């Protein structure tokens, strides 16, 4: 969530033309001739993800020197071929690759923009499992998203703020960088003594020797690459287990500690409240990373452990926590469906206010609907916003939430909350599309809802009547 959105200010929308990336050769999932192909077929990010295989597991071993900002790393990917692979790609931007093996045999590789193109000695057959090991090093740098935000490995004064939505995972590890392909992760991260490295999932252990500390983290539930983190800083840490058995780990920069404390204290209550609405929390671990990274400008719902660039407000904590169901557990298959993440997390904020002595969702909706037709809120419909700056724009967040509110008004509270819960349950740990959501809403309510969703997600301009 962006800081200005958290404060509910009207964002000034730069109506830049939609990137023409879609026209520049979107690649299908599997090019012919035994080669995997450089993209996953997403028109917003044609080169993100790759064809011909799925990754089951990433084992990332990272050593970061916070002084020189140098990373030394090895990535071991366990994957399954969906076709014979005489050649395949991973996404990796910058950094120097020194060696690649496939099933323990040295493989030929070359760099081509953000593609690491690998030619194994023996081509994995369709259905075969294979192991890829990549040794690499260098100074990771973030990419700049079309909205001007840094994305990926973002150095800070005492470490690095590591967030990857939508493209930045490839700035620090070789990945099949598209949410279509989710995998489990192991992280082994070595940093100078006194610094803490925080990744996703459960802390397996930490050990200090020779002036360095190694942290081992494991996320065993499927995770999209953009939700992985390995944030490093000088953190105060705290660990506890909730009544429901969720392992909480918080890491907070001392400069943010005072402001963060009262908000982080609410996490167990927020998890419980959201579980009551959306169904059981989808992961074993939870927590927060509160960094001091003033140049970032947003927070990210990194799986199990959202990452904040400064002490969050409670509404931001509610938002990022709601993403654990909507976005992290139920993932996108295509970036154009981004409202399934952001509209839902925003609506969770409205519901939280409504049920905690704040404005009703109806009141929040009405205040937005009152904005004139010239307002940025109506600049484009959220159902297929286009890549570029629009992907995280106000229409995706606010009008996306308005679409859910309209659904609620059309089907009534009982069916609406059944729909939300069913969505999180049926697609738990997997994926969902807008079309599937519309179908589910129609099934659960017995109502025709195509018109409503068309109006709120796809029709240009301010909808006529709410
Ligand atoms: N998904 C994040 C949220 O909670 C926003 C990420 C924005 N990222 C960016 N590169 N602008 O709303
Ligand atoms: Zn969000």
């Amino acid at each position: 969530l962006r800081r200005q959105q958290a404060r509910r200010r009207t964002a000034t929308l730069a109506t830049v033309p939609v990137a023409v990336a879609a026209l520049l050769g979107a690649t299908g999932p599997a090019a012919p001739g035994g080669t995997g192909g450089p993209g996953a077929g997403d028109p917003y990010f044609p080169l993100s993800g790759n064809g011909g295989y799925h990754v089951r597991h990433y084992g990332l071993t990272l050593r970061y020197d916070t002084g020189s900002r140098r990373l030394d790393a090895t990535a071991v990917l366990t994957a399954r071929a969906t076709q014979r692979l005489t050649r395949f790609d991973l996404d990796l931007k910058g950094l120097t690759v020194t060696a690649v093996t496939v099933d323990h045999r040295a493989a030929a590789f070359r760099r081509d923009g953000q593609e690491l193109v690998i030619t194994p000695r023996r081509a994995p057959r369709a259905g075969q499992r294979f192991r890829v090991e990549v040794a690499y090093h260098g100074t990771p740098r973030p990419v700049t998203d079309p909205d001007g935000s840094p994305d990926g490995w973002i150095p800070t004064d005492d470490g690095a703020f590591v967030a990857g939505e939508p493209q930045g995972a490839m700035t620090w590890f070789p990945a099949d960088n598209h949410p279509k392909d989710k995998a489990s992760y192991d992280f082994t991260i070595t940093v100078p003594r006194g610094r803490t490295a925080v990744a996703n999932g459960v802390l397996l252990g930490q050990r200090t020797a020779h002036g360095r500390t190694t942290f081992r983290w494991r996320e065993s539930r499927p995770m999209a690459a953009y939700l992985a983190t390995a944030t490093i800083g000088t953190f105060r840490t705290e660990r506890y287990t909730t009544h429901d058995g969720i392992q909480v780990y918080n890491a907070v920069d001392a400069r943010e500690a005072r402001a963060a404390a009262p908000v982080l204290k609410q996490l167990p209550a927020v998890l419980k409240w959201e579980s009551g609405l959306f169904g059981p929390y989808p992961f074993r671990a939870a927590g927060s990373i509160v960094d001091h990274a003033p140049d970032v400008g947003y927070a990210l719902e990194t799986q199990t452990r959202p990452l904040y660039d400064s002490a969050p407000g409670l509404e931001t904590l509610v938002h990022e926590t709601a993403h654990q169901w909507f976005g992290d557990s139920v993932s996108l298959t295509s970036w154009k469906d981004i409202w399934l993440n952001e509209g839902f997390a925003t609506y969770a904020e409205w519901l939280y206010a409504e049920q905690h002595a704040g404005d009703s969702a109806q009141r929040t909706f009405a205040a937005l609907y009152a904005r004139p037709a010239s307002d940025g809120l109506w600049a484009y419909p959220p159902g297929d916003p286009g890549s570029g700056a629009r992907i995280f724009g106000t229409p995706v967040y606010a009008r996306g939430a308005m679409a859910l509110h309209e659904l609620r008004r059309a089907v009534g509270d009982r069916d609406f909350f059944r729909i939300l819960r069913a969505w999180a349950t049926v697609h738990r740990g997997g994926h969902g599309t807008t079309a599937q959501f519309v179908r589910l809403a129609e099934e659960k309510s017995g109502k025709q809802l195509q018109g409503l969703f068309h109006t709120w997600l796809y029709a240009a301009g301010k909808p006529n009547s709410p």
Side-chain angles (χ1 to χ4, degrees):
L1 189 69
R2 282 203 248 144
R3 250 184 267 134
Q4 52 289 25
Q5 279 160 336
R7 281 192 241 111
R8 294 216 177 134
R9 274 212 217 122
T10 317
T12 14
L13 280 163
T15 37
V16 296
V18 178
V20 286
L23 309 170
L24 298 176
T27 1
T35 63
D42 193 310
Y44 284 21
F45 302 101
L47 292 176
S48 288
N50 300 284
Y53 64 91
H54 292 297
V55 181
R56 291 269 179 88
H57 183 76
Y58 292 85
L60 304 178
T61 304
L62 313 169
R63 173 193 275 248
Y64 191 60
D65 184 52
T66 48
S68 66
R69 298 187 167 178
R70 180 185 159 105
L71 177 70
D72 277 283
T74 307
V76 176
L77 284 65
T78 314
R80 202 175 143 273
T82 55
Q83 60 169 82
R84 195 174 114 84
L85 282 179
T86 54
R87 198 176 80 205
F88 62 93
D89 285 15
L90 292 169
D91 300 303
L92 184 68
K93 179 125 179 152
L95 305 169
T96 301
V97 175
T98 53
V100 177
T101 65
V102 176
D103 292 330
H104 302 282
R105 292 159 186 272
F109 64 91
R110 67 184 163 83
R111 308 296 299 276
D112 180 8
Q114 71 179 63
E115 304 298 313
L116 169 62
V117 184
I118 297 171
T119 306
R121 285 260 283 280
R122 278 194 196 159
R125 295 180 310 274
Q128 192 186 318
R129 274 198 180 220
F130 62 104
R131 174 188 186 276
V132 186
E133 182 167 336
V134 180
Y136 60 103
H137 64 80
T139 308
R141 288 180 216 290
V143 291
T144 303
D145 288 332
D147 69 355
S149 309
D151 176 10
W153 189 282
I154 306 166
T156 58
D157 58 0
D158 61 352
F161 178 102
V162 182
E165 189 184 26
Q167 303 180 80
M170 64 185 174
T171 67
W172 61 284
F173 67 98
D176 190 25
N177 191 18
H178 193 280
K180 269 208 266 202
D181 196 11
K182 306 212 288 186
S184 54
Y185 285 70
D186 274 296
F187 304 85
T188 303
I189 312 167
T190 302
V191 293
R193 171 188 214 139
R195 303 293 155 91
T196 300
V198 191
N200 313 84
V202 174
L203 179 63
L204 299 180
Q206 75 185 64
R207 201 173 152 253
T208 300
H210 312 297
R212 294 180 178 275
T213 308
T214 299
F215 295 84
R216 288 186 304 120
W217 293 92
R218 173 171 294 163
E219 174 51 5
S220 45
R221 302 266 162 92
M223 175 165 81
Y226 80 89
L227 295 170
T229 191
T231 292
I232 297 162
T234 314
F235 295 133
R236 297 182 188 171
T237 64
E238 113 182 278
R239 278 172 99 166
Y240 60 89
T241 303
T242 68
H243 294 304
D244 300 324
I246 301 165
Q247 298 185 43
V248 176
Y249 183 101
N250 292 327
V252 181
D253 186 294
R255 292 164 284 186
E256 303 292 336
R258 256 171 84 96
V263 177
L264 296 196
K265 232 174 67 191
Q266 295 295 315
L267 179 63
V270 170
L271 287 166
K272 200 173 160 85
W273 175 77
E274 290 186 347
S275 304
L277 280 181
F278 311 143
Y281 180 67
F283 306 116
R284 285 178 57 201
S288 315
I289 309 169
V290 182
D291 205 344
H292 179 78
D295 298 333
V296 172
Y298 62 84
L300 182 65
E301 62 270 25
T302 34
Q303 188 157 307
T304 69
R305 192 157 293 111
L307 173 58
Y308 305 93
D309 66 344
S310 60
L314 182 55
E315 67 284 1
T316 303
L317 182 101
V318 167
H319 179 109
E320 305 307 339
T321 306
H323 273 309
Q324 302 305 310
W325 283 262
F326 305 115
D328 292 10
S329 170
V330 183
S331 293
L332 302 178
T333 53
S334 176
W335 282 107
K336 72 172 160 41
D337 290 340
I338 184 69
W339 85 280
L340 289 173
N341 292 6
E342 302 306 343
F344 281 57
T346 302
Y347 200 67
E349 293 177 59
W350 299 10
L351 289 171
Y352 188 86
E354 176 171 286
Q355 297 187 19
H356 294 82
D359 285 348
S360 67
Q362 175 57 34
R363 202 180 155 95
T364 307
F365 176 95
L368 287 166
Y369 190 76
R371 292 190 188 177
S374 58
D375 191 273
L377 172 59
W378 315 114
Y380 55 89
D384 187 0
S387 57
R390 294 176 164 201
I391 190 173
F392 297 113
T394 303
V396 171
Y397 287 72
R399 185 165 159 180
M402 293 176 90
L404 286 176
H405 190 71
E406 284 297 277
L407 170 65
R408 180 180 174 189
R409 296 211 316 166
V411 304
D413 276 14
R414 211 185 103 104
D415 281 350
F416 177 71
F417 288 109
R418 281 175 54 221
I419 292 164
L420 280 190
R421 205 184 167 94
W423 181 245
T425 308
V426 173
H427 299 280
R428 183 180 162 111
H431 296 88
T433 65
T434 300
Q436 287 172 329
F437 182 71
V438 173
R439 219 175 305 132
L440 179 77
E442 290 190 329
E443 261 166 44
K444 295 278 168 204
S445 67
K447 291 204 157 69
Q448 292 275 316
L449 298 165
Q450 301 278 347
L452 182 153
F453 283 108
H454 176 78
T455 300
W456 285 90
L457 297 179
Y458 300 113
K462 179 173 174 175
N464 268 331
S465 62

